[in-house]
Amino acid sequence: MKRIFFYLLLLLYVNVLFSNNNTLLLQLDEEINKRSEYEEAKEKELLLLEDMFRYASSKESKYQILGKLFDAYRNYDTNKSLKIAHEKYQLALSTNNKDYINDASMNIAETLCMLGMFKESLEIMDVIKQDELPGFLLPYYFHTYRTIYGLLADFVTVDIMRDRYLHETNRYRDSIVAFNQEGTLPYVIVKSDSYNFNGDYNKAICLIKEYLNKSDISLHDKAILYYTLSESYRGINDKYNEKKYLILSSIGDIKSVVREYVSLRRLAVMLYEEGDIDRAYKYVTLCMDDAVKCNARWRILEVQKMFPIINESYHLKEINHQKRLKNTLLTISVLSLCLIVAIVIFYLQKKKITVARLNLIKINNELSKVNSELKEANQKLIDMNKSLTESNYIKEEYVGHYLNQCSVYLDKIEQYRHHLNKIASAGKLDDLYKLLKSSSFIEAELKDFYTGFDTTFLQIYPNFVDDFNSLLTEPIQIKQGELLNTELRIFALIRLGITDSVKIAQFLRYSVTTIYNYRTRIRNRAACAREDFENKVMNISK
């Protein structure tokens, strides 16, 4: 059970991870769709710098603006950046400033390197004397040499030469680390690159992630750091994080409008290996377009290694898609033909179907009517049966009660007659007259009679008092020792079906007016409509 739970958690975790990367891929697609907006803003920035250069008054300010233009064009348009580097060099010569001349020369060498002209780049760099360079130019000097030898190592096919170029690359990488202050961006980039080269991937990850906590990192610098981080995760075979940081690096490259990059090409290869051919083709095509626009020859060569494979897979997929589409269209055509035949048959039978449908509707209506009548009759029958059952029950209860009551009364009358006979035989005429004039016997018997009525009624309707009071705004209060009072007894008779005030008056030995007044007074206290009150009383259940 624990193992199953563990696997479920692991599956959930993997799903969340892939979902996160899919979200980043969608974000990357959105940024690619907005690429023209970013390029438009970039072109405005370049035009502004060119205007500033034209209106600059001093050679010093012109040189500084050309430096900014070179940085802006460096990863955007190699031909333009080479032209600006030459302009910088000519302007530096006119100022006779040795530092400016060396800086512009290294700009030319760096750009030629991007164009794949490694020999010419090295010739320019070899002319520059390291010991004549000021401290602020040394890191750039080492960076340019490292870039040249690094690219030579990537493209050379002879192992001995590759080892030599890698040795030179590492030597200049170490120099960059030594001449940059610890914690600076150049230091972090080159040091983490060195860690990756030597297999210390976790050290590189820690160094970069610590630096990424800073808030003042530009988009392009973040893109470089993310790419280096993806290389570290590639070293430890962490495909998820490698892909994640390649996506983040690609987003940074797109938003900072550079055309010379690696991340998107690497990401396209990963997606191709995962089977996402459409995205891989889209990304690698964009890489090729940007490399051509930038005229970065070595990037073009890199893309060309993978482009034919992805392109062939994409077109093969398109061919298969076209085949499936043709098969689908053929199937749809056949189904359409069958549908046309069915429609023709349908219209031929339409008249018969219409008549049959009308007859069916008529029959259904008649059946519905009969069904409604049957339901109504059934409900009436149910109500009638219920009423009959209740009436039979009441009759049984009261017939039994009053048969017994009659027998008791006969016994009492016989006893009363014997009692009167004894008094008369004894000659006690005065006592006899007193008894005959007294109503105490009748009152006692009436009390017993009503008590018997109340008891029998409450046996049939045990909740009558509570149910009756729930229909009133002011409930009726019963005195101590009573089961029902006069008001309740009136409506108890109504519940039994005796609604005539004359009969109720005879039963309770009141005048008809008194009974009417009682009924009116109670109806005025009804919580419902006065005219519905007695109907609701009639519906009080057993």
Side-chain angles (χ1 to χ4, degrees):
M1 188 66 186
K2 289 182 179 178
R3 184 174 295 178
I4 294 172
F5 183 68
F6 170 76
Y7 285 134
L8 287 173
L9 285 177
L10 182 62
L11 181 63
L12 179 62
Y13 175 71
V14 170
N15 285 336
V16 170
L17 288 181
F18 279 106
S19 175
N20 289 340
N21 272 350
N22 287 336
T23 302
L24 286 175
L25 281 172
L26 291 174
Q27 184 182 344
L28 174 58
D29 291 337
E30 288 179 10
E31 297 300 338
I32 290 173
N33 291 335
K34 293 191 290 187
R35 185 173 174 81
S36 59
E37 298 175 20
Y38 295 138
E39 287 183 346
E40 186 178 344
K42 176 83 172 181
E43 293 292 342
K44 288 180 180 178
E45 177 191 345
L46 294 170
L47 287 173
L48 181 62
L49 287 171
E50 288 173 0
D51 287 341
M52 290 172 63
F53 174 75
R54 279 195 294 272
Y55 292 108
S57 56
S58 66
K59 290 183 178 181
E60 177 71 25
S61 59
K62 282 180 177 289
Y63 187 84
Q64 297 300 326
I65 295 169
L66 283 174
K68 291 179 181 179
L69 273 168
F70 178 79
D71 290 337
Y73 277 111
R74 173 185 272 138
N75 298 306
Y76 187 69
D77 187 336
T78 308
N79 292 332
K80 192 72 174 177
S81 62
L82 182 61
K83 179 181 177 183
I84 291 169
H86 279 296
E87 285 186 45
K88 276 185 72 177
Y89 183 75
Q90 293 300 323
L91 189 59
L93 289 176
S94 69
T95 62
N96 200 26
N97 185 318
K98 189 66 175 176
D99 293 341
Y100 283 1
I101 293 170
N102 287 329
D103 177 47
S105 297
M106 286 189 284
N107 288 161
I108 295 170
E110 181 186 9
T111 310
L112 290 173
C113 174
M114 292 176 65
L115 289 166
M117 302 170 70
F118 305 120
K119 177 177 177 294
E120 290 80 358
S121 298
L122 285 173
E123 287 175 353
I124 293 172
M125 291 301 296
D126 290 342
V127 172
I128 300 170
K129 296 179 181 179
Q130 179 181 336
D131 55 359
E132 293 180 359
L133 292 175
F136 70 89
L137 281 179
L138 281 173
Y140 184 42
Y141 174 79
F142 297 136
H143 164 77
T144 306
Y145 263 123
R146 171 184 167 274
T147 303
I148 295 169
Y149 282 115
L151 291 176
L152 283 169
D154 287 340
F155 287 99
V156 74
T157 57
V158 181
D159 291 341
I160 297 174
M161 296 302 296
R162 183 185 295 107
D163 291 340
R164 176 191 163 192
Y165 293 147
L166 285 174
H167 173 75
E168 291 297 318
T169 303
N170 292 333
R171 188 165 69 87
Y172 284 109
R173 185 188 291 117
D174 293 340
S175 298
I176 294 172
V177 172
F179 277 86
N180 277 285
Q181 186 179 351
E182 186 174 347
T184 60
L185 178 65
Y187 175 88
V188 171
I189 291 174
V190 179
K191 187 65 177 176
S192 56
D193 184 46
S194 177
Y195 280 143
N196 285 340
F197 181 79
N198 294 311
D200 295 327
Y201 304 111
N202 289 319
K203 287 183 179 180
I205 291 169
C206 291
L207 180 64
I208 295 172
K209 285 196 171 181
E210 183 180 356
Y211 188 82
L212 282 169
N213 290 327
K214 294 185 177 182
S215 59
D216 57 344
I217 310 174
S218 70
L219 275 173
H220 184 55
D221 291 339
K222 276 187 178 180
I224 296 170
L225 290 167
Y226 286 143
Y227 172 72
T228 309
L229 200 53
S230 75
E231 288 289 282
S232 303
Y233 281 113
R234 185 159 74 101
I236 61 175
N237 200 30
D238 185 343
K239 294 292 185 183
Y240 167 76
N241 278 308
E242 179 190 358
K243 184 178 179 181
K244 173 185 174 181
Y245 287 105
L246 281 175
I247 298 171
L248 289 171
S249 178
S250 299
I251 290 172
D253 287 335
I254 296 296
K255 293 177 77 172
S256 55
V257 198
V258 296
R259 290 170 174 166
E260 187 272 309
Y261 48 73
V262 186
S263 303
L264 193 62
R265 177 178 61 81
R266 285 280 178 86
L267 179 60
V269 173
M270 279 195 78
L271 292 172
Y272 169 76
E273 292 170 350
E274 292 174 1
D276 192 349
I277 305 299
D278 290 340
R279 267 204 180 97
Y281 177 77
K282 176 183 175 182
Y283 293 169
V284 80
T285 302
L286 180 60
C287 290
M288 179 60 80
D289 291 343
D290 282 345
V292 171
K293 288 177 182 177
C294 185
N295 197 25
R297 301 283 177 82
W298 55 286
R299 292 298 182 207
I300 294 173
L301 291 173
E302 285 180 339
V303 177
Q304 282 178 341
K305 290 179 183 179
M306 199 63 197
F307 185 81
I309 300 171
I310 297 176
N311 184 56
E312 183 180 355
S313 298
Y314 176 78
H315 286 293
L316 183 61
K317 181 183 176 183
E318 286 295 303
I319 290 170
N320 291 332
H321 177 70
Q322 290 295 329
K323 286 181 179 178
R324 287 195 299 272
L325 186 61
K326 286 179 181 178
N327 291 334
T328 304
L329 287 173
L330 180 60
T331 304
I332 291 172
S333 299
V334 173
L335 291 174
S336 298
L337 183 60
C338 293
L339 182 61
I340 291 169
V341 173
I343 291 171
V344 171
I345 295 171
F346 171 77
Y347 277 105
L348 290 174
Q349 299 295 324
K350 184 177 179 181
K351 188 174 181 180
K352 292 182 180 179
I353 293 171
T354 303
V355 171
R357 185 167 57 189
L358 290 172
N359 289 334
L360 185 61
I361 291 170
K362 184 178 179 181
I363 292 169
N364 283 336
N365 290 335
E366 290 175 357
L367 285 173
S368 298
K369 184 178 179 181
V370 171
N371 189 43
S372 298
E373 290 174 354
L374 284 173
K375 283 183 179 179
E376 186 178 347
N378 189 47
Q379 186 61 44
K380 287 180 179 178
L381 187 60
I382 290 170
D383 294 340
M384 191 179 294
N385 285 335
K386 182 179 177 182
S387 178
L388 287 172
T389 302
E390 188 172 314
S391 296
N392 289 335
Y393 177 69
I394 292 169
K395 286 175 182 178
E396 287 174 6
E397 287 293 318
Y398 274 99
V399 165
H401 172 75
Y402 286 110
L403 283 174
N404 179 62
Q405 196 75 13
C406 287
S407 176
V408 171
Y409 283 152
L410 288 172
D411 291 339
K412 286 183 178 182
I413 290 169
E414 181 64 24
Q415 290 172 9
Y416 189 62
R417 187 182 67 79
H418 282 304
H419 178 63
L420 292 175
N421 187 39
K422 284 180 183 181
I423 294 171
S425 297
K428 298 177 181 180
L429 295 177
D430 291 337
D431 292 340
L432 181 61
Y433 287 142
K434 286 180 182 178
L435 283 173
L436 291 173
K437 289 180 179 180
S438 174
S439 62
S440 59
F441 176 77
I442 298 300
E443 289 175 355
E445 292 306 316
L446 279 174
K447 183 177 180 182
D448 290 342
F449 173 77
Y450 290 138
T451 300
F453 171 81
D454 295 347
T455 303
T456 304
F457 180 80
L458 291 175
Q459 285 177 353
I460 301 171
Y461 301 99
N463 299 320
F464 178 78
V465 176
D466 292 336
D467 292 343
F468 184 78
N469 280 332
S470 68
L471 300 175
L472 302 175
T473 56
E474 297 178 18
I476 294 173
Q477 302 297 327
I478 302 173
K479 294 179 181 179
Q480 186 71 27
E482 286 184 341
L483 295 176
L484 298 174
N485 59 15
T486 302
E487 291 97 331
L488 290 169
R489 211 167 279 131
I490 290 169
F491 284 93
L493 289 168
I494 290 173
R495 178 63 189 89
L496 292 172
I498 302 171
T499 58
D500 187 357
S501 294
V502 174
K503 292 181 180 179
I504 294 172
Q506 289 172 350
F507 183 82
L508 296 179
R509 301 176 72 83
Y510 286 108
S511 68
V512 175
T513 303
T514 301
I515 297 301
Y516 178 78
N517 289 337
Y518 272 124
R519 292 177 74 168
T520 303
R521 189 163 58 246
I522 294 297
R523 278 200 299 269
N524 289 337
R525 290 161 59 185
C528 58
R530 292 175 70 254
E531 58 272 13
D532 296 332
F533 178 70
E534 291 189 0
N535 288 331
K536 289 186 178 293
V537 173
M538 292 293 290
N539 290 326
I540 292 176
S541 60
K542 294 191 291 183

